[in-house]
């Protein structure tokens, strides 16, 4: 069976979406999904060349898109990226705080402090900095929606990944809190919890480790970036108009047992 989603017809027309980490993997799939639904898309990424390449692909498919270099660990860079989105397309309505890194694998008692700081700075503080500057812009636009990319490890532990797991749990709590604060201002904020997804994030996973990851999913395979993008697109759309502050799995059954 095909896993390729069918984009709802132009449901994002007239809306501007900012996607952090939009040059690769899940963020790139979502950039294509939102653009197919009519959004103007700002691809914000640490990897500026990758962001420009993504924008060239989007534009050649007829979409309105722009690239901006952004390091989500740097609040000034995030603020400038949000300002760029508003200046380029006139307003910001949708945001996907998706930039993330895996970090090395080692037990908590041996985990390097600098690795902890780097992973938490990217995967948790980066989501806070992003919402810190996106939310005032979305409120100024009259409302919209935010999706924060957590993980199945936003509720489950995973041996060897203390920083990643702690950061992704933090994203779920941060999402719920911001959702409470902004629901009455017509901003819906939700989190997505993907299982292991076949993207460049897993580039350093050897075949034995990959087989182990596959075995954790009752579906018998890793997910695709497009499958995660489809859930995020739904949460960003008006079809999700009563969904606020919740955490949504797309995990091939990983969390069901
Ligand atoms: P990718 O590595 O394919 O894409 C992540 C993108 O984020 C890359 O372009 C990366 O740039 C960019 N990035 C990294 N650090 C920063 C930063 N400081 N500022 C701006 N951009 C940055 O990963 P995925 O698409 O797989 O992951 C996307 C999100 O989904 C992440 O938050 C991840 O934790 C989450 N996720 C992924 C899962 C998976 O199995 N793949 C499972 C569950 C959640 P560069 O390449 O230069 O580092």
């Amino acid at each position: 069976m095909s896993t390729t989603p069918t984009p709802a017809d132009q449901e994002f027309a007239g809306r501007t979406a900012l996607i952090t980490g939009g040059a690769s993997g899940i963020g790139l799939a979502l950039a294509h999904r939102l653009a197919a639904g009519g959004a103007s898309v700002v691809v914000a990424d640490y990897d500026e060349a990758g962001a420009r390449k993504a924008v060239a692909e989007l534009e050649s498919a007829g979409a309105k898109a722009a690239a901006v270099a952004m390091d989500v660990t740097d609040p000034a860079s995030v603020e400038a990226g949000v300002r760029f989105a508003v200046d380029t397309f006139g307003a910001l309505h949708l945001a996907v705080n998706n930039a993330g890194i895996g970090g090395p694998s080692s037990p908590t008692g041996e985990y390097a402090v600098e690795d902890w700081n780097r992973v938490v700075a990217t995967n948790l503080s980066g989501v806070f900095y992003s919402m810190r500057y996106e939310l005032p812009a979305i409120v100024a636009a009259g409302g919209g929606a935010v999706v924060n990319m957590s993980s199945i490890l936003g509720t489950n532990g995973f041996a060897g990944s203390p920083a990643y797991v702690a950061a992704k749990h933090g994203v779920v709590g941060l999402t719920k809190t911001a959702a409470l604060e902004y629901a009455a201002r017509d901003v819906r904020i939700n989190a997505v919890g993907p299982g292991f997804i076949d993207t460049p994030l897993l580039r350093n996973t050897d075949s034995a480790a990959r087989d182990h990851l596959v075995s954790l999913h009752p579906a018998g395979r890793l997910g695709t970036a497009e499958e995660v993008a489809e859930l995020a697109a739904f949460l960003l759309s008006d079809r999700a108009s009563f969904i606020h502050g919740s955490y949504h799995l797309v995990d091939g059954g990983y969390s069901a047992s």
Side-chain angles (χ1 to χ4, degrees), residues 218 249 251 253-257:
L249 296 169
D251 72 350
Y254 182 110
S255 305
S257 64

Side-chain angles (χ1 to χ4, degrees), residues 58-154:
L58 291 165
E59 286 177 337
S60 71
K64 282 193 215 154
V68 65
M70 182 194 287
D71 177 358
V72 298
T73 69
D74 173 3
S77 170
V78 175
E79 182 178 21
V82 171
R83 196 180 321 116
F84 170 84
V86 172
D87 290 348
T88 304
F89 292 117
L92 181 67
H93 309 92
L94 308 172
V96 184
N97 299 318
N98 161 81
I101 56 174
S105 178
S106 66
T108 303
E110 299 164 27
Y111 206 80
V113 170
E114 54 270 27
D115 290 328
W116 168 275
N117 287 335
R118 191 168 57 90
V119 172
V120 171
T122 308
N123 293 5
L124 179 55
S125 298
V127 173
F128 165 66
Y129 298 147
S130 297
M131 286 203 290
R132 168 66 184 79
Y133 296 106
E134 291 158 357
L135 287 169
I138 294 172
V139 168
V146 176
V147 165
N148 294 323
M149 202 55 68
S150 180
S151 163
I152 38 163
L153 305 184

Side-chain angles (χ1 to χ4, degrees), residues 24 26 45-46 70-72 98 149-150 164 168 195 197 199:
S24 176
I26 294 167
D45 206 289
Y46 200 62
M70 182 194 287
D71 177 358
V72 298
N98 161 81
M149 202 55 68
S150 180
Y164 189 89
K168 293 299 188 182
I197 307 300
T199 73

